[in-house]
Amino acid sequence: MKKALLFFLMITTQGVLLCSAQSDKNLFAEESISAVRKGSFTGDAFYGFPNFYTLLSDNLIFTYGPQAISTKKIGFGPIGGRVEYLLSHKFGFGLEVAYLYSRVEQTFKSEDNDSVIYRRSLIRSKLGFVPTFNYHFSKNSLFDFYVTGGVGIKYSKTVLEGVSDNYHLTFIIPIAWRLAFGARFFPTPHLGFGMNMGIGQGGIINFSASYKF
């Protein structure tokens, strides 16, 4: 009886060890064909579209009073970067930073005196920091597909200025967030490019130069 029990324990232990080794082997094989791997870092420098502040500012703010005789728009972004550390070949933790700027200036003639010209300007800027949690689901050494999401903070400022009426408004909104799907292509071991499509900071879509190490 003791010999049989000892034999059973030996067989069971050997089976567990074999299963564990096979599981580790499968995990390593799955990780070896992934574009990103546990313990590695990835980084993206991106530029996104559109800048809604620039597109919609004159329509949302300057719809009252006399009709503008000219409109000038200046804006860029969202522009930014993201970094990520791979906790495994599927899960990663990162940080995304994005900035955008917009200025819309309109010129008017006075309703009382056509010779009097005045201007109104709307200036908007936003800087956001969003910690992200990412899930990578591709099994390809060249392509990295992932979903990302996170909530963070931002500094958002809106200034409305007028030469004739001289008023100034500032609003600060502290919440920034991002929910998106992303894809990267690495034609070389370290350098690649990608895209990220979603909602929140960073634009509906942004394109990036990517680096992994």
Side-chain angles (χ1 to χ4, degrees):
M1 183 66 179
K2 290 182 179 180
K3 291 183 179 181
L5 180 60
L6 180 61
F7 178 75
F8 176 76
L9 290 174
M10 291 176 61
I11 294 297
T12 302
T13 303
Q14 186 175 10
V16 171
L17 291 175
L18 288 173
C19 290
S20 177
Q22 184 65 34
S23 177
D24 292 341
K25 182 179 179 181
N26 291 338
L27 180 62
F28 178 78
E30 184 178 358
E31 183 175 350
S32 67
I33 62 174
S34 300
V36 294
R37 301 178 183 181
K38 178 182 177 180
S40 64
F41 286 88
T42 62
D44 298 313
F46 66 81
Y47 193 92
F49 305 89
N51 184 331
F52 284 112
Y53 285 179
T54 302
L55 289 177
L56 302 178
S57 290
D58 56 330
N59 295 323
L60 293 176
I61 302 298
F62 302 132
T63 57
Y64 59 91
Q67 185 175 1
I69 59 177
S70 68
T71 300
K72 181 180 180 181
K73 295 184 179 183
I74 300 173
F76 63 87
I79 185 172
R82 62 178 71 92
V83 293
E84 179 187 6
Y85 174 73
L86 276 298
L87 303 172
S88 71
H89 67 288
K90 288 187 177 294
F91 297 98
F93 180 77
L95 176 67
E96 179 177 298
V97 181
Y99 177 79
L100 63 81
Y101 174 86
S102 174
R103 179 186 179 95
V104 178
E105 183 179 284
Q106 291 192 324
T107 303
F108 299 86
K109 283 186 178 181
S110 172
E111 293 181 316
D112 300 327
N113 188 342
D114 288 342
S115 64
V116 177
I117 303 296
Y118 64 97
R119 294 178 178 84
R120 289 178 183 153
S121 297
L122 178 68
I123 305 168
R124 290 181 172 180
S125 60
K126 183 176 69 173
L127 176 63
F129 301 85
V130 176
T132 60
F133 185 73
N134 314 303
Y135 175 72
H136 301 260
F137 55 88
S138 59
K139 297 179 180 179
N140 189 288
S141 60
L142 298 179
F143 292 93
D144 173 32
F145 300 103
Y146 64 94
V147 290
T148 180
V151 178
I153 60 173
K154 71 178 178 182
Y155 177 76
S156 181
K157 186 176 182 181
T158 301
V159 178
L160 188 58
E161 296 177 337
V163 175
S164 61
D165 38 16
N166 193 26
Y167 51 89
H168 187 113
L169 302 174
T170 301
F171 305 96
I172 299 174
I173 305 173
I175 303 299
W177 58 285
R178 181 70 175 169
L179 180 63
F181 163 80
R184 299 186 184 100
F185 173 58
F186 290 99
T188 72
H190 299 290
L191 298 176
F193 53 89
M195 60 80 68
N196 186 288
M197 180 181 296
I199 51 178
Q201 79 165 20
I204 293 178
I205 186 169
N206 58 66
F207 299 94
S208 65
S210 304
Y211 182 76
K212 63 174 180 176
F213 60 95

